[in-house]
Structures are given as C-alpha cells and as structure tokens.
C-alpha cells in the first residue's frame, strides 16, 4: 500500500456522509451539515420534536483509541443545552477492504 487512498479531509467527509446515510435510514431529518473538521456540531438533525447535534470523528485503521477533542465536545454540549438538543459523538472507523494481509489491514 504505497500511498494514502484518502487525505485527512476526504476521510472526514466520507465519515460524515456515512453518518448522514445512517441517520436518514433511521428517520432523522438532516437540518444542517458542516463538513469542516474544526466545526462543531457537524450535523444537526431532527426526529419528531427532538433536535440532535452530532460531532463526527473519522479515522483509518491502524489508528486506534483516537480521543475526541475535549474543547469541541465541551462547546457542543453547551450549545446543545442552549437549544435543548441531544448531543452525540460518532466515531467512524474505516479499514482498507483491499488489504492482502493483517499488516495492511492495520490489525
């Protein structure tokens, strides 16, 4: 595996798109999306009368135990309280399906 398949921003956008797909399949209405990795929240949803804020962290194996940015989480919690919204953090982990061995897969 000589080169990265996606750069950091493409990886982040892909994770957001996966979350949007998941949320829509589970009857959430997507109200707003911000794909900037430094923005928070990145997805605002509504289901019934409930509003939710979602922070998305996407990583590629073998990267493990990636910690969420504490400042972003604190900001999102406070903002969610101001809007009486629920607050979620979605960690999206990806692995290369074309891996030919455990080393390439990152496990």
């Amino acid at each position: 595996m000589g080169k990265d398949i996606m750069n950091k921003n493409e990886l982040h956008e892909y994770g957001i798109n996966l979350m949007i797909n998941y949320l829509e399949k589970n009857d959430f209405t997507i109200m707003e999306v911000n794909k900037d990795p430094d923005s928070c929240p990145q997805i605002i949803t509504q289901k019934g009368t409930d509003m939710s804020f979602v922070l998305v962290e996407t990583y590629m194996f073998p990267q493990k135990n990636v910690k969420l940015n504490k400042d972003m989480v604190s900001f999102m919690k406070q903002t969610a309280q101001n809007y009486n919204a629920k607050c979620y953090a979605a960690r999206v982990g990806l692995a290369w399906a074309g891996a030919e061995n455990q080393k390439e897969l990152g496990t």
Side-chain angles (χ1 to χ4, degrees):
M1 195 166 91
K3 65 175 194 140
D4 290 337
I5 295 170
M6 292 182 192
N7 67 38
K8 190 175 180 179
N9 285 336
E10 291 168 334
L11 185 66
H12 178 71
E13 285 186 24
Y14 188 71
I16 287 179
N17 290 337
L18 288 173
M19 278 309 305
I20 289 169
N21 187 41
Y22 172 83
L23 292 164
E24 288 176 335
K25 284 183 178 181
N26 286 280
D27 300 323
F28 286 85
T29 301
I30 306 301
M31 306 299 290
E32 187 174 330
V33 176
N34 187 337
K35 293 185 178 181
D36 179 353
D38 296 324
S39 70
C40 189
Q42 289 146 349
I43 304 172
I44 300 174
T45 69
Q46 189 161 356
K47 186 172 184 177
T49 59
D50 294 330
M51 181 183 286
S52 300
F53 290 0
V54 183
L55 172 63
V56 179
E57 292 279 338
T58 308
Y59 61 97
M60 186 77 176
F61 287 115
Q63 195 177 14
K64 296 179 183 175
N65 300 322
V66 176
K67 296 188 179 184
L68 294 170
N69 180 314
K70 290 180 183 181
D71 292 334
M72 289 178 74
V73 171
S74 295
F75 176 79
M76 188 171 72
K77 283 181 179 179
Q78 183 60 49
T79 305
Q81 286 177 344
N82 293 343
Y83 287 91
N84 198 28
K86 295 178 181 177
C87 188
Y88 297 98
R91 298 185 70 235
V92 180
L94 303 173
W96 182 42
E100 296 180 5
N101 57 52
Q102 291 291 60
K103 184 177 179 183
E104 287 180 349
L105 182 59
T107 59

